[in-house]
Amino acid sequence: MEQVQQQVRQEIERAKEYLRNYDGEQVNLMEVCGTHTHEIFRLGIRSLLSPKIRLISGPGCPVCVTGADFIDEAVYLAKQGAIITTFGDLVRVPGTKQSLAEARADGADIRVVYAPVDALDLALQYPERQVVFLSVGFETTTPAECLAVKMAKEQGVRNFTLLTANKTMLQAYRAMANKNKLIFLYPGHVHAIIGTGICRELAEREGISGVVSGFTAYELLAAITVAVKKAQANEPFFVNAYPRVVSEEGSLAGKALMEEVMVPCSAYWRGIGVMEGSGLALSDAYAEFDARKRFAVPEMEGRENPACRCGEILQGKCLPPDCPLFGKACTPEHAVGACMVSGEGTCSAFYLYGNTTVEEKVL
Ligand code: SF4
């Protein structure tokens, strides 16, 4: 065991030295995962890199890319008397007029759950109430949402629905790659579900390069090192640097669940706009569990604070400190935009770890 630790430590030291002293062509890496953004900051990895290696945070935080119109829909349903169930981050995201936290202060029934099946349990517990789960996320969380709906159907539950804003990553990769010459640090947990086939195809057919990365210091440093080294050949490439979790085919069970319960749809991404085929909605077979259909939710305005620059930050066009509200009117305690609310958001990462300079944190 000690020998393995020693070997890992030596490899980390070699990677640190390479990345610190790199003096070749500028390399632009985009981490398309909010957890990567936060871990890279928290571990002090940015401070290790040569100025010739630029890390750009992309649209990889599901809460951050979800528009204000979705919050408006959830607030509307809460005001109709539904129990709204959600993961915690969404509660404080501003809507056009109110966040869910503000609606709760007005008496709405908003509850934080840790899994979609918890929302289903709540529906079984309160058969006289309608329970809506806010289904927001990428392929990482979508199978769990599909499972809850499938269970609800099998059990004949009539008071459980999803309000969906599920998204898939492929179109986002294409949108970002077209705008910038980037190498992606692909999100390990998304590709644990969908596999690496699409990454390989993006490299071979569309010239889009990337490396799938895990989340530890060792995994992140290894992935960044591989990306920088591969970039030297000036050829499109793909490397799976997280093979202990991610396979070529991904999770067959997870993919089968998504295919059974959901179908592709167009979706709005904050900063990018509407992209065809970049979302998932409930299929006809599960339409009775679609909150929009069951409650005839009207179309919402979805107006965001015009001073907030989340949209540009999510495209890597500017950094959080470029926003005049950053750290002043907008902090994690009093967030103006989704990127500061979310525990995966770029603004919150800059706020929490922006002064990180202690490179030893990598160890
Ligand atoms: Fe929006 Fe706040 Fe980030 Fe500015 S600092 S872009 S207001 S979330």
Side-chain angles (χ1 to χ4, degrees):
M1 185 67 177
E2 221 168 272
Q3 204 182 350
V4 173
Q5 281 177 339
Q6 175 85 2
Q7 201 182 336
V8 168
R9 192 166 280 271
Q10 281 170 359
E11 284 180 34
I12 287 179
E13 285 306 322
R14 273 197 294 275
K16 282 167 63 179
E17 202 176 323
Y18 175 77
L19 295 173
R20 185 187 290 121
N21 297 322
Y22 174 75
D23 195 28
E25 288 284 303
Q26 177 83 31
V27 177
N28 294 323
L29 301 172
M30 175 173 271
E31 75 267 1
V32 202
C33 169
T35 311
H36 277 164
T37 301
H38 271 252
E39 283 307 285
I40 284 168
F41 264 107
R42 192 181 68 78
L43 294 164
I45 288 177
R46 278 174 177 259
S47 62
L48 288 178
L49 303 179
S50 145
K52 295 282 187 77
I53 304 169
R54 188 168 164 234
L55 280 174
I56 302 161
S57 303
C61 153
V63 168
C64 304
V65 296
T66 300
D69 58 333
F70 182 80
I71 303 297
D72 297 346
E73 290 179 308
V75 169
Y76 169 86
L77 287 168
K79 295 202 166 173
Q80 302 306 303
I83 300 175
I84 299 296
T85 54
T86 175
F87 297 138
D89 277 359
L90 269 180
V91 173
R92 291 189 306 118
V93 173
T96 301
K97 292 191 182 130
Q98 269 193 324
S99 66
L100 288 164
E102 288 162 339
R104 179 160 57 191
D106 281 353
D109 195 344
I110 316 289
R111 305 189 192 195
V112 171
V113 293
Y114 295 98
V117 289
D118 295 344
L120 178 57
D121 284 346
L122 210 55
L124 293 168
Q125 206 181 325
Y126 296 98
E128 74 290 358
R129 302 280 307 275
Q130 288 291 333
V131 175
V132 179
F133 179 74
L134 305 187
S135 185
V136 167
F138 301 131
E139 292 95 331
T140 323
T141 50
T142 301
E145 286 147 2
C146 293
L147 180 64
V149 170
K150 191 174 156 79
M151 288 169 67
K153 185 167 186 169
E154 285 167 0
Q155 294 171 29
V157 180
R158 302 290 308 147
N159 62 328
F160 175 71
T161 51
L162 298 187
L163 184 66
T164 55
N166 297 77
K167 293 184 172 60
T168 52
M169 291 307 303
L170 177 61
Q171 302 303 345
Y173 296 153
R174 287 189 171 127
M176 301 313 297
N178 288 342
K179 286 181 190 161
N180 307 284
K181 187 83 183 126
L182 294 169
I183 296 167
F184 290 119
L185 275 187
Y186 290 124
H189 40 27
V190 165
H191 288 280
I193 303 294
I194 63 175
T196 57
I198 69 161
C199 307
R200 200 173 298 287
E201 283 180 21
L202 285 173
E204 288 170 5
R205 298 186 189 168
E206 301 178 41
I208 297 171
S209 296
V211 178
V212 174
S213 176
F215 298 89
T216 66
Y218 176 70
E219 286 161 347
L220 282 161
L221 280 175
I224 295 170
T225 305
V226 167
V228 174
K229 286 185 173 173
K230 283 276 184 186
Q232 306 312 304
N234 239 340
E235 296 283 339
F237 64 87
F238 164 67
V239 177
N240 178 7
Y242 194 28
R244 74 184 170 93
V245 171
V246 177
S247 65
E248 175 84 13
E249 66 275 12
S251 162
L252 298 180
K255 288 196 289 190
L257 254 178
M258 287 194 285
E259 273 167 32
E260 178 186 338
V261 177
M262 292 200 174
V263 288
C265 63
S266 64
Y268 169 79
W269 296 59
R270 180 180 282 115
I272 301 176
V274 175
M275 289 191 288
E276 278 299 316
S278 68
L280 289 171
L282 288 163
S283 66
D284 286 347
Y286 289 89
E288 64 186 296
F289 298 96
D290 185 331
R292 286 188 189 92
K293 289 181 179 155
R294 186 177 295 181
F295 304 109
V297 178
E299 203 162 309
M300 295 291 164
E301 186 181 3
R303 199 161 26 83
E304 282 146 26
N305 187 320
C308 173
R309 300 187 70 184
C310 275
E312 293 163 85
I313 288 165
L314 288 164
Q315 297 176 82
K317 287 182 176 171
C318 70
L319 293 174
D322 298 326
C323 172
L325 306 188
F326 178 77
K328 298 176 188 118
C330 186
T331 64
E333 292 74 33
H334 302 283
V336 174
C339 300
M340 187 62 93
V341 174
S342 172
E344 295 186 7
T346 307
C347 294
S348 70
F350 267 76
Y351 186 87
L352 293 171
Y353 310 115
N355 292 326
T356 301
T357 54
V358 188
E359 65 182 67
E360 281 68 33
K361 281 188 180 179
V362 166
L363 297 174

